[in-house]
Each structure stands twice: as C-alpha cells, then as structure tokens.
Amino acid sequence: LRGSVIRDIYWIGIPVSVGTLSMAAAGLFTNKLLMSLNPFSVGVMGVAMRLEGFAFTPVFGLFSAVVPMVGYNLGACQYERCKKVIWAAAGMASVLMGAVGALVLAFPAFFFGLFNSDPQMLPLGVQYLRINMPVYPLVGGSIMMSAGFQGLGKSWIAMLMHLYRNLVLRLPFAYWFAAIWGLLGVFW
C-alpha cells in the first residue's frame, strides 16, 4: 500500500460520489415537489426513469470505455488523442441519445405503455416524454464530457458540473416552474 496511490484514488473517487449524491438529493426534493402536485406524478417519473435507463445504458457503457482511453492517452502524453476520444464519444453519445429520443418522441404512448398503461398515468407520461426527449442529444454529450474529465483525473470539474446542474439549476427551476405551470413546469 502506498499512501500517494490511495490519496489519488480518493482524489478522483470522492468527487464522483459527491456528484452522485447531488443527483440523489435533487431527486428526493423533486419527488417531494411532485407528490405535492399530483400523487400519480411520482409513479410517472419512476416509469420514465426505467424507460430512460434503456437509453442511458449504452451511453454509460461508452462512458466506461472513455475514462480509461483518455487516461491511457494522457499517461502517454497523447493530448490530441485525449481530445479526439472525448469529442468522438460525445458525438456518438449525442447521436445515440438523439436517435433514442426521436424514436420515443415519435411513439411516446407506446413506449410509456410498455411499462405502465394506467389511464391516469399514461397522459402524464406522454407529456413528460414529449418535454424531455428533445434534449437527449445534449444529455449524451454532457455524459461524455464528464467521462473525459474523469479520464483526465479532473473529476472535481465533473462534480462541479453535477452540483451546478442538480442543485443550482434543476431544483430552483423545478420549484419556480411548478409555481407557474404546475406539474408540467416540473417536467420542463
């Protein structure tokens, strides 16, 4: 055991944990907000998250490949290759997520109905999917940027991105938009 190696592991791992914790915290407060607006909405979000899990799985697989590829090229002082890997992965993830988003956007009732066709939840689920699917290409690219930062050993930047997105943007806007547009505001 070498202290410097253990320190480096924690230096990279702690920010990843904090970023994940910020997503969980944002989800907790979003669920509380949803429950106050419509009891079915938490179920809608649960079903939507399951559906989104299918779209995100290949992107997270790509994420798992990008981190070591960037780290390897960084160690070999191949900085241009690091940039190429990150940008190529961001492009692939954006195209993949865009294709999934377009498919789900074309048939939202069908895809939501695969998981739950409750007549009170289906219309809400369709609305959620129609609002969220168009931004999927951005989500794919963002995930790969996070992978790139982790591969570069700069997981603190990825953590700051997570904290900013979840605690500075997502939660305040969810509450603000809910006050204006109700449940649809939270979906936005």
Side-chain angles (χ1 to χ4, degrees):
L1 292 175
R2 292 187 310 195
S4 63
V5 173
I6 292 171
R7 184 194 71 234
D8 289 347
I9 290 170
Y10 278 100
W11 182 254
I12 292 172
I14 287 174
V16 174
S17 299
V18 171
T20 302
L21 183 61
S22 77
M23 287 189 291
L28 173 75
F29 287 105
T30 302
N31 280 344
K32 287 180 67 100
L33 176 60
L34 289 169
M35 280 299 294
S36 72
L37 297 170
N38 182 328
F40 289 102
S41 61
V42 174
V44 167
M45 289 298 285
V47 170
M49 293 299 149
R50 276 191 228 111
L51 179 59
E52 288 176 342
F54 284 105
F56 282 85
T57 299
V59 172
F60 287 130
L62 185 58
F63 183 102
S64 297
V66 168
V67 173
M69 288 172 67
V70 170
Y72 174 82
N73 284 299
L74 178 66
C77 297
Q78 297 291 324
Y79 307 120
E80 281 303 311
R81 286 178 72 185
C82 290
K83 287 196 315 191
K84 285 181 183 177
V85 167
I86 294 167
W87 285 109
M92 286 188 277
S94 294
V95 168
L96 177 64
M97 293 292 289
V100 169
L103 186 62
V104 173
L105 191 59
F107 307 101
F110 170 76
F111 285 105
F112 192 88
L114 290 174
F115 294 92
N116 189 314
S117 58
D118 182 292
Q120 292 181 300
M121 290 178 65
L122 187 61
L124 293 174
V126 167
Q127 287 177 320
Y128 173 85
L129 294 174
R130 284 189 176 140
I131 290 169
N132 282 276
M133 291 301 115
V135 298
Y136 263 36
L138 297 174
V139 172
S142 173
I143 291 169
M144 289 307 109
M145 291 297 137
S146 184
F149 284 124
Q150 286 189 30
L152 292 169
K154 301 193 179 299
S155 56
W156 291 91
I157 295 173
M159 178 196 72
L160 292 174
M161 289 170 49
H162 283 294
L163 291 172
Y164 185 75
R165 181 179 66 238
N166 288 307
L167 303 179
V168 175
L169 293 177
R170 179 178 169 189
L171 279 179
F173 275 99
Y175 279 86
W176 181 34
F177 286 3
I180 298 170
W181 296 296
L183 181 60
L184 288 183
V186 180
F187 291 170
W188 279 101

